[in-house]
Amino acid sequence: MWKQLLVTVGTGVLIFSGTSAVSADQLTPQDLVKATKSLQQTEQRLHTSKQSVAKAKRRAEAVEAKKNAIQKKIDRANAQLASYETALNPETDDPSLFKQVLSTVLPSAKAEAAASEKTEADLKEKQAATTRSLEKLENEQAKVDAEHKKARSTHSAAYKQLKHRAAELKDLKRQTAALAPEKFMMPATGRLSQGYGAASGQFGYTFHNGLDIAANVGTPIYAAAAGTVTDVKSGGPYGKHVFIEHEIDGQKWTTVYAHMHKIEVKKGQALLQGEGIGQIGNTGNSSGPHLHFEVHKGEYAYSSSSAGNTVNPMDVAEVLGGASPIKATY
């Protein structure tokens, strides 16, 4: 079975295909971990892009509001100038013209004309002040227009990057799904020395609730799926062994790795699928170096005479790359 292999390069991902395709049996746990980390990094970049878009949008909206407020001030200033212009330049048939003529012959009219002149002077002063204010507003408007243009450009660029990140993430998810096993991957390479089911009772159990994968001492063991180490033990029938809890599609699972030579993880440690957890060994009740691997649907619950809540790993675990589950050999 042939698969495409994801190879991270910088912040991007290259897909080897065609003549450069890599067969499933050439994929390694390290490839899977790199692909998963690349996916996580892209998810983080997408989150950052969403924040950038939101920030740029808020900025553009704030500048837009500022721009509208300045325009309202400019409109009010223009309206005020128009009213001053009307007051200072009345129509010729305005009664004030008659008063100006009358003021040349009557003292009372002269006083009224003087008051009118003061009013006109006040209007002209206000007109000049409003004109200066309008000039400042227009200068400020030019700056805000430039700021608004920049804010919109920043928002547009951020949104474009967001769409790119979203497309990249979608593609990575699709490719990683094609690369990774559907649920669990077989945690070690070796020979299937004992299957799941009825047992002889040699070590005190009549039902073997896992798989035994025989291999040389020191052969790497990998996490069958992403999860958290819930316990690490070094004695008893299992010898050195590790429990990992997983959540897949809302279902809790627990995997067990027993008879280990070396344990390389700690309780509480979070793991990606394919990350190393230790080495195959011959500790505990073991007749030769091998990994005893169990898959429990739910929490760990051992039974020496029945399957309990275990499932046959052959039904849920695949060789990395999506190939068929192990049969005679891995």
Side-chain angles (χ1 to χ4, degrees), residues 240-280:
K240 293 181 179 179
H241 57 289
V242 171
F243 296 81
I244 302 178
E245 186 177 286
H246 320 269
E247 184 171 326
I248 302 174
D249 298 329
Q251 171 64 53
K252 180 188 289 186
W253 299 81
T254 303
T255 52
V256 184
Y257 312 77
H259 310 304
M260 296 170 67
H261 169 67
K262 184 179 180 181
I263 295 174
E264 298 171 347
V265 293
K266 296 179 180 180
K267 184 176 180 179
Q269 183 175 340
L271 296 168
L272 298 177
Q273 186 176 49
E275 283 196 287
I277 64 172
Q279 300 173 1
I280 283 180

Side-chain angles (χ1 to χ4, degrees), residues 188-209:
T189 300
R191 177 179 57 84
L192 180 61
S193 59
Q194 185 175 359
Y196 179 88
S200 64
Q202 177 185 359
F203 291 110
Y205 58 84
T206 56
F207 191 93
H208 190 240
N209 54 7

Side-chain angles (χ1 to χ4, degrees), residues 88-159:
L88 290 169
N89 299 284
E91 297 293 335
T92 56
D93 59 352
D94 191 284
S96 62
L97 179 61
F98 174 74
K99 290 181 180 180
Q100 291 176 22
V101 175
L102 191 64
S103 69
T104 60
V105 294
L106 295 176
S108 60
K110 287 184 178 180
E112 188 175 339
S116 179
E117 288 177 1
K118 184 178 185 306
T119 299
E120 181 179 356
D122 289 342
L123 286 172
K124 286 183 177 179
E125 184 179 342
K126 289 179 180 179
Q127 183 184 45
T130 302
T131 300
R132 291 192 297 271
S133 177
L134 180 61
E135 289 175 354
K136 289 181 180 179
L137 285 170
E138 287 174 342
N139 289 334
E140 186 177 356
Q141 184 184 47
K143 292 179 181 179
V144 172
D145 282 343
E147 187 179 2
H148 184 248
K149 183 178 180 180
K150 182 179 179 180
R152 288 177 61 86
S153 177
T154 299
H155 178 262
S156 177
Y159 185 71

Side-chain angles (χ1 to χ4, degrees), residues 9 259 306:
V9 178
H259 310 304
S306 69

Side-chain angles (χ1 to χ4, degrees), residues 171-184:
D171 192 46
L172 275 174
K173 283 183 175 179
R174 176 182 59 80
Q175 295 176 77
T176 304
L179 173 70
E182 185 176 353
K183 281 190 174 66
F184 299 98

Side-chain angles (χ1 to χ4, degrees), residues 39-118:
L39 181 62
Q40 291 176 339
Q41 289 167 359
T42 302
E43 287 176 333
Q44 180 57 49
R45 288 197 295 270
L46 178 63
H47 177 68
T48 301
S49 291
K50 288 180 178 178
Q51 291 179 320
S52 297
V53 168
K55 181 179 179 181
K57 183 180 179 181
R58 290 194 298 270
R59 178 59 180 163
E61 289 174 345
V63 176
E64 178 80 23
K66 185 177 179 181
K67 178 182 176 181
N68 292 338
I70 291 175
Q71 185 60 54
K72 287 181 180 179
K73 290 180 180 179
I74 289 175
D75 291 343
R76 284 198 297 270
N78 281 322
Q80 191 67 55
L81 285 175
S83 67
Y84 292 152
E85 185 67 23
T86 300
L88 290 169
N89 299 284
E91 297 293 335
T92 56
D93 59 352
D94 191 284
S96 62
L97 179 61
F98 174 74
K99 290 181 180 180
Q100 291 176 22
V101 175
L102 191 64
S103 69
T104 60
V105 294
L106 295 176
S108 60
K110 287 184 178 180
E112 188 175 339
S116 179
E117 288 177 1
K118 184 178 185 306

